[in-house]
Amino acid sequence: MAIIKLEELSKTFGQIKAVDRISFEVEQGEIFGFLGPNGAGKTTTINILCTLLRPTSGRAWIKGYDVQAQRSQVQRSIGLIFQDPTLDEYLTAEQNLRFHAYAYGIPRDTREKRMRELLELVELWDRRKGKVNTFSGGMKRRLEIARGLLHHPQVLFLDEPTLGLDPQTRRHIWDHINTLRKQEDLTIFLTTHYMDEAEYCERIAIIDYGQIIALDTPEKLKDGVGGDVVTLEAEDNEAAVRELEQKHNLSPELQDGVITFSIPNGDTFLPKFIRNFSIRLLSISVRRPTLDDVFLKLTGHAIRDQEVGFREQMRAMMGHP
Amino acid sequence: MTEVFRGMWVISYRELLRFVQERTRMLGSFAMPLLFLVIFGAGFNRMIGQLTPGVDFIKFMFPGLIAMTVLMNSVMSGLSVVWDREFGFLKEVLVAPLNRYGIVLGKAVGSAAVAVTQGIVMLVLAPILGISIDFMLVVKLIPLLILISLSLSGLGILVASRMRSQQGFQMLVQIIIMPLIFLSGVFFPINNVPVWLEVLSKINPLTYGVDAIRQLFLNSNGATAGPGIGDGSYPLGVTVLGHNVTILEDVAIVAILGAVLMTAAMLAFNKQE
């Protein structure tokens, strides 16, 4: 059964189409990644799904509840961890959780038990009396994860859950997410622009300029690149590109003095290729494709070095109510 | 309906929790009225003398300062909304299964509770200033302060529902609140002033809140809002078209204002995304 369903969902801010007629489904129990550069429409989509924004057109359902017409049921079915912290920093960890419990009407006897269980899980039980403004970024994120799960949601939305955290803390957060998923039978919907994080997902939707440009498992997406990725530098790159195109019938791309092309079975291709190539090579390597390559192939630009232009900034701003 | 009530109590619960933990704010909100009381009181009291028999300047100003304390604290409901938006907590509130009207009411009730507490605490100064307060005065004063406070919380939230930064809100408060206070008859009777000032003051709904509180105090101190200074040519209370406005009329005006502001605040808050 599809636990999240989007149908032709659009959101425009003035002239800007932040989300442009997107449709897809997420299955129950799945860990689903929403991948794209900043300003691609990820946060706007999440904000619509969690009832913070109204779509301009189209519809969306969570557990069969319409996100516009049945807000309350939707709100009870989902847990949220936003990009920016949403804790009351002047209250203690415990007070933040208790507020959440009251707001969701969690009965007293389950409340205290559940609070302890989750605080222990995210390793904050000892710090429960501590004010949140004394917490580190990683601790705040963990507390938000605990809070987001307090009311037993079936779907957990994570908007860039590890943004701004150091690599060690990121790994730690991911350990928690994986443990939770097993324990709580959750469907996880996450957005990220870290390619390595997207690898944890069972399926990935790639979004660029408000549109879904690909949706599949990470493996299949990478297969779509067309085999292994070969990167090389030659003494004369221009001539190398010409030779690759003419003699090997490949479509190489020259970017920042590096030539990339993809080829099935790169391991066996390489020795033969080096022996016959007429231009002197400075370096050459072969690797399995990453999601970066997928993104590059689909959009023609890399996910990381995309300039955050005015358009994107506007979108990012509008996406945050 | 349960989501309206839950919204109301959860939000007001947090407002109170925050208030208890922020001791500086508690002290800070007394600073301004105290400053006015001490400086203006000392500066003008001897010069002005008795406004009416038994009512000197401090006795005249004190009820106004209670109104001012309540007003400033009530409008802070809006600051709390802006604060929540700036620090992200508002999202936690908006995605919770709480009715948005309930959230607005909760903010208003929470800040009204704080404001009324502060106003009542001001009463400890009364004996020092030679103002007598009796039990009935306090009994009547509390609902009056609650009414004034709820109305002005509505104003705070209405302003805040579109504001994104605390600085912006503070600025707007300076522009709106300061004139409201100075034109409300806190510091001088508005019946013996230039016409433009009188008109502005009488349009200001806050004037009637101040007047209601002052009449309570004057009545319990054996004075009336009626005939005033010297030859008794004008009253200390507010007159509109030759009619001395009564406490009940004051209350009605504040209540109507409150209903309008609160409705507008709810609509504005509900509309935001």
Side-chain angles (χ1 to χ4, degrees):
Chain A
M1 184 195 95
I3 195 155
I4 305 174
K5 190 174 174 202
L6 287 75
E7 211 174 82
E8 300 275 300
L9 202 69
S10 297
K11 178 74 187 176
T12 46
F13 297 109
Q15 295 292 307
I16 302 160
K17 282 186 178 168
V19 174
D20 192 6
R21 307 205 329 157
I22 62 176
S23 307
F24 61 85
E25 291 182 4
V26 177
E27 298 301 315
Q28 176 150 19
E30 200 172 16
I31 174 159
F32 188 88
F34 212 39
L35 184 70
N38 289 325
K42 302 184 302 257
T43 300
T44 305
T45 308
I46 284 213
N47 282 344
I48 293 172
L49 292 177
C50 75
T51 74
L52 271 178
L53 279 177
R54 282 175 232 278
T56 310
S57 64
R59 294 180 73 187
W61 297 266
I62 296 203
K63 257 178 74 184
Y65 299 121
D66 187 304
V67 296
Q68 279 181 279
Q70 294 163 294
R71 289 162 69 122
S72 178
Q73 286 95 324
V74 169
Q75 285 161 338
R76 285 172 188 285
S77 315
I78 61 176
L80 286 148
I81 288 98
F82 290 105
Q83 238 176 66
D84 307 306
T86 60
L87 297 160
D88 187 337
E89 304 226 334
Y90 288 89
L91 299 183
T92 65
E94 212 174 36
Q95 284 170 328
N96 267 289
L97 291 190
R98 205 159 278 142
F99 174 87
H100 188 89
Y102 294 151
Y104 285 76
I106 301 170
R108 188 198 200 96
D109 44 334
T110 40
R111 181 181 72 216
E112 297 301 317
K113 204 174 129 251
R114 180 79 173 153
M115 269 169 59
R116 172 158 199 160
E117 184 184 308
L118 286 166
L119 279 173
E120 279 173 349
L121 184 77
V122 298
E123 294 161 44
L124 284 173
W125 176 246
D126 297 336
R127 297 296 302 272
R128 65 189 184 281
K129 304 273 185 208
K131 283 209 178 164
V132 174
N133 56 14
T134 64
F135 284 15
S136 71
M139 286 164 75
K140 284 182 195 166
R141 204 50 60 90
R142 267 146 54 203
L143 180 59
E144 291 197 296
I145 292 177
R147 186 183 63 180
L149 292 169
L150 205 58
H151 55 284
H152 288 281
Q154 288 85 47
V155 184
L156 186 65
F157 286 97
L158 297 145
D159 194 2
E160 302 276 358
T162 60
L163 191 75
L165 301 178
D166 59 81
Q168 205 189 338
T169 316
R170 278 173 61 188
R171 211 165 313 124
H172 201 63
I173 297 282
W174 268 103
D175 290 341
H176 284 307
I177 294 175
N178 286 325
T179 322
L180 281 169
R181 210 185 132 220
K182 282 179 211 125
Q183 275 185 22
E184 307 263 331
D185 185 32
L186 278 170
T187 305
I188 295 180
F189 185 103
L190 69 99
T191 74
T192 183
H193 67 280
Y194 291 121
M195 295 295 172
D196 52 335
E197 287 189 351
E199 302 269 357
Y200 292 109
C201 302
E202 284 162 346
R203 282 196 309 152
I204 298 171
I206 297 181
I207 181 168
D208 195 31
Y209 292 107
Q211 287 177 319
I212 304 280
I213 52 176
L215 196 163
D216 219 323
T217 63
E219 282 317 308
K220 285 203 180 128
L221 284 172
K222 285 186 276 190
D223 288 346
V225 172
D228 297 328
V229 179
V230 178
T231 334
L232 65 85
E233 281 174 279
E235 251 179 11
D236 185 351
N237 277 333
E238 311 282 327
V241 168
R242 268 196 306 277
E243 182 167 336
L244 285 166
E245 278 169 350
Q246 284 155 14
K247 268 175 71 176
H248 297 269
N249 212 8
L250 291 163
S251 43
E253 288 199 40
L254 177 58
Q255 225 181 16
D256 305 324
V258 183
I259 300 168
T260 4
F261 60 87
S262 45
I263 187 105
N265 306 320
D267 297 352
T268 50
F269 165 81
L270 217 53
K272 223 166 39 207
F273 168 77
I274 295 171
R275 223 175 302 131
N276 298 329
F277 204 56
S278 66
I279 295 148
R280 240 187 88 169
L281 291 167
L282 298 175
S283 73
I284 187 159
S285 66
V286 62
R287 58 176 168 79
R288 285 286 299 147
T290 63
L291 288 168
D292 270 309
D293 300 311
V294 175
F295 194 82
L296 184 65
K297 179 162 190 257
L298 290 170
T299 64
H301 58 90
I303 197 164
R304 283 205 204 99
D305 35 78
Q306 193 187 36
E307 286 279 326
V308 181
F310 175 71
R311 196 168 123 101
E312 282 73 24
Q313 275 182 4
M314 280 303 287
R315 282 176 168 170
M317 266 165 53
M318 306 304 257
H320 295 120
Chain B
M1 207 55 200
T2 54
E3 294 196 347
V4 178
F5 282 120
R6 205 175 52 244
M8 209 167 115
W9 93 255
V10 172
I11 301 295
S12 54
Y13 157 80
R14 170 180 170 254
E15 292 298 302
L16 293 176
L17 200 60
R18 278 296 293 277
F19 175 68
V20 174
Q21 300 201 331
E22 273 179 83
R23 289 185 198 94
T24 45
R25 186 181 143 195
M26 221 187 305
L27 295 173
S29 54
F30 287 121
M32 186 94 108
L34 269 181
L35 195 74
F36 280 121
L37 192 65
V38 173
I39 308 284
F40 280 23
F44 289 126
N45 209 27
R46 253 180 248 166
M47 193 170 87
I48 294 175
Q50 304 258 308
L51 293 170
T52 90
V55 181
D56 58 11
F57 183 63
I58 288 186
K59 276 190 186 162
F60 172 80
M61 190 173 59
F62 184 71
L65 290 178
I66 291 182
M68 185 174 154
T69 312
V70 171
L71 166 81
M72 305 233 296
N73 279 293
S74 307
V75 178
M76 286 308 134
S77 61
L79 188 65
S80 137
V81 172
V82 179
W83 196 95
D84 283 353
R85 182 178 294 118
E86 207 174 334
F87 289 90
F89 190 75
L90 191 64
K91 273 193 191 170
E92 154 81 353
V93 172
L94 291 180
V95 296
L98 301 171
N99 179 286
R100 292 211 178 167
Y101 299 142
I103 295 172
V104 171
L105 288 173
K107 283 274 180 201
V109 169
S111 55
V114 170
V116 171
T117 311
Q118 304 262 48
I120 295 298
V121 171
M122 286 282 287
L123 290 180
V124 298
L125 293 172
I128 305 169
L129 302 169
I131 297 163
S132 64
I133 36 177
D134 54 33
F135 180 68
M136 276 320 284
L137 171 68
V138 179
V139 168
K140 287 179 193 159
L141 186 61
I142 290 175
L144 182 58
L145 293 185
I146 291 175
L147 178 69
I148 294 174
S149 174
L150 284 175
S151 309
L152 294 164
S153 301
L155 176 66
I157 298 165
L158 176 64
V159 171
S161 60
R162 294 283 146 179
M163 301 288 301
R164 305 236 165 246
S165 81
Q166 292 190 71
Q167 285 92 333
F169 183 79
Q170 301 271 24
M171 182 93 127
L172 215 68
V173 164
Q174 300 293 333
I175 295 170
I176 297 176
I177 300 306
M178 284 305 158
L180 277 183
I181 289 176
F182 283 107
L183 292 173
S184 68
V186 170
F187 301 110
F188 45 80
I190 56 167
N191 290 306
N192 193 24
V193 291
V195 175
W196 63 268
L197 190 54
E198 187 181 337
V199 170
L200 283 178
S201 297
K202 283 178 181 171
I203 295 172
N204 178 5
L206 192 62
T207 299
Y208 302 93
V210 172
D211 186 56
I213 299 175
R214 179 167 291 136
Q215 288 201 39
L216 277 184
F217 273 87
L218 292 179
N219 291 342
S220 88
N221 278 268
T224 55
I229 292 173
D231 55 4
S233 57
Y234 67 88
L236 292 182
V238 179
T239 52
V240 175
L241 304 171
H243 164 70
N244 281 341
V245 178
T246 65
I247 293 188
L248 277 181
E249 285 159 353
D250 282 328
V251 167
I253 292 170
V254 175
I256 291 168
L257 168 79
V260 171
L261 285 174
M262 195 58 80
T263 310
M266 283 179 175
L267 294 177
F269 189 83
N270 191 38
K271 240 184 93 183
Q272 70 171 346
E273 289 195 324

